[in-house]
Amino acid sequence: MSRWIDVRKNLRSFRFAADGIIALFRFENNAKIHLLAAVAVVIAGIWLRLDRIEWAMILTQVALVWAAEAFNTAIEKLADVVSPERHPQIKAVKDLAAGAVLLVVILAVVVGILIFGTKLMEWLERTGWF
């Protein structure tokens, strides 16, 4: 009888995925910038006492930005292997992938402004600054 789930294979897959995440933040400059921004957002979230729903929305945005950056990096690396020399179609592919990251980042900033802006205004009112 065959096994329904191959646990060893799954654990190996998780290890490969973890290696990818480590490589993303170790070698990719933009991912490091996103990581620093995420740390700042978490600190601000703790300071402004985000509720569970706000945390869920913020952490989802952080994960989406990181995932988009990982996909972009994977596409760029694959494109460089497929066509090491300059090629207009490869440039278009890379530009589209980078544009996708930018769209996700813009949306994350908008969500951040909506959540943190509201919290900051509440804090300013409570402390008498506004």
Side-chain angles (χ1 to χ4, degrees):
M1 180 173 180
S2 66
R3 295 163 88 185
W4 186 54
I5 296 175
D6 187 340
V7 175
R8 278 191 187 154
K9 186 176 180 181
N10 282 49
L11 290 174
R12 195 169 44 248
S13 294
F14 280 118
R15 191 182 78 236
F16 294 148
D19 289 347
I21 292 168
I22 291 166
L24 178 69
F25 291 112
R26 185 171 179 202
F27 300 115
E28 299 302 320
N29 191 55
N30 287 344
K32 291 175 186 177
I33 292 168
H34 296 309
L35 180 60
L36 288 174
V39 168
V41 164
V42 167
I43 291 168
I46 292 167
W47 177 62
L48 291 170
R49 296 184 177 128
L50 299 184
D51 64 32
R52 283 185 300 162
I53 301 299
E54 291 164 335
W55 274 117
M57 291 169 32
I58 291 296
L59 295 176
T60 298
Q61 294 303 308
V62 168
L64 287 171
V65 169
W66 288 348
E69 189 61 49
F71 286 130
N72 179 51
T73 299
I75 289 168
E76 286 183 352
K77 289 186 180 303
L78 180 60
D80 289 345
V81 169
V82 169
S83 180
E85 67 283 346
R86 289 183 161 260
H87 190 282
Q89 286 297 92
I90 295 296
K91 180 188 182 321
V93 166
K94 288 181 171 185
D95 290 350
L96 286 166
V101 175
L102 183 58
L103 287 172
V104 173
V105 168
I106 289 169
L107 182 61
V109 168
V110 170
V111 169
I113 289 169
L114 291 171
I115 292 172
F116 287 108
T118 301
K119 287 291 191 177
L120 193 55
M121 291 302 288
E122 291 171 359
W123 180 81
L124 289 171
E125 287 174 2
R126 271 195 325 270
T127 59
W129 284 81
F130 187 70

